[in-house]
Amino acid sequence: MIEVRDLCKSFGSSSVLRELSFKIERGSFTSFIGPNGAGKSTLFRILLGLVEKSRGSVIIDGSEMKHPGWSIELKKRMGFSPENLYIHGHLTGREFLQFVARIKGDSFSKVDEMLDRFQLTLAAHRKVATYSKGMKQRLVLAQALLGAPDLLFLDEPTGGLDPRGTLDFYDILGELKSKGVTVVMNSHFLEEIETRMDRVGILIGGKLVAFSSPSQLIQSSGLKESITVQFKSIEKGQIPERFQSRAKQLEDHSFLISCSRDEKLELMKEISSRGSELQDFQLIVPSLSDVYHSYLRGADL
Amino acid sequence: MKGVVHFFSREITLGRRNRLILGLGSMTFFLSLILAYFGTIQNPGAEKGVLGFSSFEATVISLTALSTYLIPIIALVLGFDSTANEMETGSFELFFTYPLKKSEIYFGKFLGLATLLVVSTTTGFLVAGLIIGWKIGWESFGIYLNFVLASNLLGLTFLALSFFFSNLVEKRAQMLGLNLFSWFFFVILFDLGLILLLVALEGRVPQEVASAVLFLNPADLFRFMSTATIENIRNSYGIAAVVAHNFFSLKVLILTLALWVALPLCGGYLLFKRRSIKR
């Protein structure tokens, strides 16, 4: 388990992280989201023992982090995939992974397995300089998984991946979840993490403004569900009176109506009971992205 | 200490791939031959006014003058480039999360680069030396071998200095500036400053003190060491060499240059150990 208490970090007079406190359970998947400069990468570097904290404490499985970082034993359990890593272009993909495998005490057969899992087998003999951005990203992810870590830190792991690569990556994460691996991520891809993370932390201006499960974040946000309805002709009168003030005309024959979760069925019943010539309707449920943007608006960003 | 071996191997592979050994070896080989053939006319042991391979004494004197400028800058750039690249590309950030001691990363990289430097310069100089020896005979080949050893110690000294200076600051431009300044200081400024000081003091400085001060400059130590086995150096190689040769043996020179490798290397390690990621 990772426990962070009152974590603060300043660079000179600039305060980057302000009194962060949270717990990450063993085997859970957690992602931090936030605008650029919110402190996500700094938080990651502190959790990894790369950057010294200014105040507070970071505890992993009962061991408190002391300068200059984690013990070799704890590092053996960690895997890290940085956001931007320019692997030395003169090494081949296989050579790079073999170099990491030797350091982490893993076998070369695991290297081949990783190359296969990340669809790099055919390019394994090529110098990394010839790899595309997505291939380099896959290579960086593959090195993080060498040594069978039970604690993975992934900084923007799907940043350079194509849709297929992204799906493959989350398939692999699914396997890791079944093995009890703890994953801590930074990501800007909110749709990806909404259904896959157990916890999401929203960092804005160095503060952890929310830390909960995606569904709890949505529920507690106060954001309402909405329905778009499309009629054959424009007739606002077809919308029940008490919803009319919340109805916004979108295009020729469509209206967007905000309603609470409980009002949703009632609204649909009333519309249909009025014999309106309803052409189509769509239920719009608030997403993690809506919650995130509402926090950003609240922070005036 | 397996990590040392891993990083050592990595540097060797990279050096082989980017043709560092081939480039440095070829450069030292051709420069040695060109200088031995064209540049020794005025040196002791050479036949005045006649082009061609003359003697190992003459060759070593010419090569010493050139190597004093060339080898330090090559070693400094080699060390700076390696450290700055690892820092800028985020490699250190990743390496520091691996189950390794920082000493394994630092000394593994140094040993790898040092091996590349030593192998390339030794190969270049030795192959050229064998050609020269084949042409003029092997009588003074020991003088040439002594020069090759001194060149290697000079290269290692400046490689260690580059590891020290590159870990002293954070930014690439600062690293480059410090490394270039160290070259300028040790290769040019130090002797110039010392001469000006001695002239200003009008000979009131004892010879022992003057020569001891020269030990503060590895470039001077290299000059003395590489020419230490040449008998008639007094006639041709300046007052500094004469002073040093009068007071210090070859063993002392080797030991002092070895210290010049060890001290900045260890100093650099202490800085590297404290290094954290600032980005």
Side-chain angles (χ1 to χ4, degrees), chain A residues 114-134:
Chain A
M114 282 298 137
L115 286 166
D116 186 45
R117 287 308 310 269
F118 286 92
Q119 296 177 3
L120 289 166
T121 304
L122 289 175
H125 65 286
R126 275 169 42 197
K127 286 185 183 175
V128 176
T130 66
Y131 280 24
S132 67
K133 188 182 175 192

Side-chain angles (χ1 to χ4, degrees), chain B residues 75-76 78-79 110 113-114 117 154-163:
Chain B
L76 286 168
L78 194 65
F110 180 81
L113 290 172
L117 191 64
L154 179 71
L156 293 178
T157 298
F158 277 87
L159 185 66
L161 280 169
S162 81
F163 269 57

